[in-house]
Amino acid sequence: MSQTDTVHRILDAAEVLFAERGFTETSLRTITSTAGVNLAAVNYHFGSKKELIQAVFERFLTPFTEILNRELTRRGAASEPLQLDDLLQSLYRVALAGLASQGRDPKRFMRLLGLAYTQSQGHLRRFIVSRYGDSYRRFAGQLAAALPHVDPVTFYWRLYFMLGATVFSLSSFDAIEAILREDFGAESSLEETLARLAPAAVAMLTAPMPGVGSGQVPGASAPGGSTGDNR
């Protein structure tokens, strides 16, 4: 087995196991056993469990941000400023669908991203901010520019509400689709779900919210988990 094959087998096993069981619940021995390699191979190629987790995210985030940035550049080439629908089309129907076209499962990506929020993975947040923060700030900045009448704190909350809805809807897609099929006799594809998600996200971002004060967003940064560290 070549070194490249070994790396891919470790990453494939880690990706599936992390998404199914979580980061803290998945041991390196379980990963190496599933991948059919020895424990030394993980240490040799990745150095630690934290770096392996980061490498799993890198396989998703690098193509995702590349696709998103290309699409934002293409849409931004027009003389008119980007509208909310343009931005969400870039996020949902281009970037996420683009992952699928490259053989990366957007639903698994969302499950992993959801775990990054709910489990203590401070190293992962720092990695994402360092490596992909510029792409996130570009998208969030253009989104904020398309909502000039929304104060910064309200925008902060709505952005994370939108991201939370996206993570939940796609990470739980199989279960939600099964309920849809059982209760309504209907089916949905990933593309149809993304098409339904976009207008819901627009409504979430633009809905009136009377009675809530404004303020400044403290240290906005790329999403990627809580401030704790993996144990």
Side-chain angles (χ1 to χ4, degrees):
M1 184 190 309
S2 70
Q3 290 192 1
T4 300
D5 289 338
T6 300
V7 169
H8 285 311
R9 290 179 67 160
I10 293 171
L11 285 171
D12 288 344
E15 179 183 307
V16 172
L17 290 168
F18 286 149
E20 290 178 349
R21 305 183 184 188
F23 304 115
T24 57
E25 297 83 359
T26 303
S27 69
L28 287 180
R29 291 193 181 278
T30 303
I31 293 170
T32 55
S33 175
T34 302
V37 301
N38 58 48
L39 188 59
V42 174
N43 295 325
Y44 176 77
H45 290 291
F46 300 98
S48 69
K49 183 178 178 181
K50 290 179 182 179
E51 290 172 303
L52 175 57
I53 293 171
Q54 293 167 13
V56 167
F57 271 81
E58 187 175 16
R59 289 213 295 181
F60 284 101
L61 285 170
T62 294
F64 174 78
T65 54
E66 287 175 352
I67 295 167
L68 180 60
N69 282 326
R70 284 199 302 268
E71 182 63 13
L72 291 176
T73 298
R74 186 187 71 80
R75 290 181 182 272
S79 58
E80 294 292 326
L82 286 175
Q83 300 299 310
L84 200 56
D85 184 65
D86 295 327
L87 292 163
L88 293 177
Q89 291 283 348
S90 297
L91 178 67
Y92 290 139
R93 300 183 70 180
V94 176
L96 285 174
L99 277 182
S101 70
Q102 294 191 4
R104 307 245 52 88
D105 185 353
K107 296 175 290 182
R108 186 175 294 156
F109 174 42
M110 289 295 133
R111 282 195 293 273
L112 290 166
L113 195 58
L115 288 168
Y117 276 103
T118 57
Q119 295 190 346
S120 296
Q121 298 295 320
H123 71 95
L124 183 55
R125 178 182 181 277
R126 291 188 293 272
F127 168 76
I128 292 175
V129 169
S130 173
R131 185 71 63 87
Y132 305 103
D134 288 345
S135 295
Y136 172 78
R137 285 186 289 271
R138 180 187 185 189
F139 176 77
Q142 292 187 352
L143 204 62
L147 297 164
H149 303 301
V150 177
D151 69 84
V153 169
T154 299
F155 173 76
Y156 171 87
W157 280 112
R158 290 186 179 186
L159 176 61
Y160 278 87
F161 292 153
M162 182 199 78
L163 293 174
T166 301
V167 169
F168 173 78
S169 298
L170 296 187
S171 65
S172 306
F173 176 81
D174 292 338
I176 294 172
E177 204 269 341
I179 295 171
L180 177 71
R181 188 167 54 250
E182 181 175 341
D183 289 358
F184 297 96
E187 296 184 358
S188 182
S189 65
L190 176 64
E191 290 74 16
E192 290 170 342
T193 300
L194 292 173
R196 293 178 185 274
L197 189 54
V202 170
M204 190 178 299
L205 290 165
T206 58
M209 194 171 173
V212 177
S214 64
Q216 296 300 312
V217 181
S221 59
S226 63
T227 58
D229 253 326
N230 179 59
R231 303 295 180 196

